[in-house]
Amino acid sequence: MHSLDLTGMTVEAVKEFGLGRKEAARAKNMFALGLLSWMYNRPTEGTIDFLRSKFAKKPDIANANVAAFRAGWNYGETTEDFSVSYEVKPAAMAAGTYRNISGNLALAYGLVAASVQSGLPLFLGAYPITPASDILHELSKHKRFGVQTFQAEDEIAGIGAALGASFGGALGVTTTSGPGVALKSETIGLAVSLELPLVICAIQRGGPSTGLPTKTEQADLMQAMYGRNGEAPVPIVAPQSPADCFDAALEAVRIALTYRTPVFLLSDGYLANGSEPWRIPDIAGLPDLSVEFATEPNHTDAKGNPEFWPYLRDPETLARPWAIPGTAGLEHRIGGIEKADGSGNISYDPANHDLMVRTRQAKVDGVARSIPDLEVDDPNGDAKVLVLGWGSTYGPIGAACRRVRKAGHSIAQGHLRHINPFPTNLGEVLKRYEKVIIPEMNLGQLITLIRARYLVDAMGYNKNARHAVPGRRARRGADRDVIAGVDGS
Amino acid sequence: MTDVVELGFPSLGSIPKTDIPQRAADFKTDQEVRWCPGCGDYAVLAAVQGFLPELGLARENIVFVSGIGCSSRFPYYMNTYGMHSIHGRAPAIATGLASAREDLSVWVVTGDGDALSIGGNHLIHALRRNVNLKILLFNNRIYGLTKGQYSPTSEVGKITKSTPMGSLDNPFNPVSLALGAETTFVARTIDSDRKHLTSVLRAAAEHRGTALVEIYQNCNIFNDGAFDLIKDRTNGADWTVRMEHGEPLVFGTDSSRGVIRDPENGMLTVADVNEVGKDKIVVHDAHAEDSAYAYALSRLSTKDLPYTPIGVFRSVEHPTYDDQLRGQVAAAEAKLAGDHTSELGSLLRGQDTWTVD
Ligand code: SF4
């Protein structure tokens, strides 16, 4: 909720046109429209042309309305009250049909699209939590796609029901934010052990504890990465802009279905509520996510009879077969107790446990073979500094890089979509630069992973506050820091 | 997959049937059963394996989901689909499974610690939703797997490893709790009475909606003899009220005791039949819509269980959560003009678009 003195600000904005206060105040709807145009990134020219033609005979009124409209837009641009606008690359837009879309809406649509593309009914188990609830609301409206939404008694039941649905052959999804992830951790561990597809959409907010429900932060990366007992690797996919939540959702589902694993889709409040123009994808170009359930026994017992081994893996992906109840001859029991490799029977054997721990890790590591290389944006081609980010900082980092370049320096930008596993070329990319800067809205979580994995002496740039629209002063400060990083070698 | 056949059991109509005769042995697995010798769990396992062939359901369409505890090993011994999940969460997991799959017969196996302590929240919400689940709650009034701490059904003053001076908290009466949540089917039975156990399981299977069956189960290692009062061959009948729908609630070795409505306060109480007269004895109505009657029956057994009604407390027909959820989805899908793919196209386009050339 934002309150502002609409009338006062409008009157102030149009005072040079010499209108009476009452007349001047009538332009306040244009101030509001200007602010909304800023929030939703709508082009302003059309509105201005419209005002000029409508009031062609009354230039003062036309000018006052345009001034109010511009003042509203500028208010949105300069004030820090709004965290909903999204800074997009000012690149020329590709040809196509566009619409505006917020991150949570794009994420919900991505899940529906994944359900259609996989042919699996979507089952959402969720408990309301800011800023994720809109996904529950949205999916509840789309039952015509076969979507079942279940508002559970708590976060644990939300993911539990989703996992139960996955066991039954549905596309199980749960949506939440940081505190909910904490409650779901045990079930995520179970999903790791059961090796069933499951998508956990975590829309991060400020923490710890209840923290700042309506403010954004990227401080749950470590929770997604390691927040479970035992060795419980889970792939992590992070969207970089509101519209990108659509593609990221499809990618998370692809990994979950292909590798039979829970997957984190790690968005945040900034992406969730922010919106941007989205080029509407061609349905025919969406990925094919169809899956094959197991239908036949895959092993023979000592007596030569066919039997089903639920943990006999695909040699390529290391995924286990997905045999759903209702399939005759494949009856089997799975659980959270360690299983014998292959047969899936309970096993307390230490050597088998070691093998299973390594196999589950190898399966998640192997996802890297199916993801694209990290591409770096370095228009001058001679940058010595790489700024590496993930998630919703994509826009702000890009804007900062452009300002640095405008000031005459070279700088490269790389942004990670996959954080677990990393793209296979990441180590080699990092080595190409003298300096690696990792800005994050936390105290340095990605940087910890990068340093540990690649032994790169990366520098952090950490803020635990909204980066939405840095005021000019803050912006200059940030640029200075980055440039200091560029030049101060 | 086998065709969907309409069965005699109303709740099982959507589950595929098999023509091949089944035996109890078909439901056994090759896994070594690891309960302590003499544990009551063996009797329940044998009763379930013995009664399932009666249903004639395709074995692959039956799923057992459990939590954590001694009884939760149950799925490993059932040659059906099964999931041994995490502590207390089985009702939640089973809710998702039963909602996603109309064609499955979903059973939850749980214990007093699993269902009433760590999983209390999931249990009461599954019960109030009336999901198509058959919940078998093995109540041994102790923690067995963790080696003998008191449980949420242990009597006050219980001396255990964690309560050397006696437990302080008031126990749950699982049947009262379930009736408080307005569960549509609530029953109680005993591990040692195979015939009664089987009849209650059959009634639960016939019910469409959530069925909660409390099974008094002896843990001979940590709480031996917990139910000896009612299991006693000579005097047990004096404490056991065997409920049959439409029959007067008369019990006792010589049928001398009966359940009456106290004229003073309307509560149910036990009286001498000869003193009050046969016509004062309450006739059991398991189909009473108001759960207050069944609740009053459940209160005959206090913390120390002197009078223990066994059988079906309540069995009423209400719409189930999962049927209605599928109904909403089906109604929405029926309105679709095209297929999911074309509908996806219009969803993504939305209302307000512009074109960039
Ligand atoms: S500890 Fe008790 S409940 Fe558990 S298996 Fe042994 S006898 Fe049965």
Side-chain angles (χ1 to χ4, degrees), chain B residues 34-36 39-41 70 140 144-145 217-222:
Chain B
R34 287 182 176 229
W35 291 310
C36 307
C39 175
D41 291 356
C70 292
N140 54 19
L145 192 72
Q217 173 247 322
N218 193 40
C219 168
N220 54 309
I221 302 296
F222 296 109

Side-chain angles (χ1 to χ4, degrees), chain B residues 172-190:
Chain B
F172 271 135
N173 174 330
V175 167
S176 299
L177 183 82
L179 289 164
E182 298 191 51
T183 311
T184 53
F185 181 99
V186 184
R188 178 187 285 139
T189 184
I190 318 172

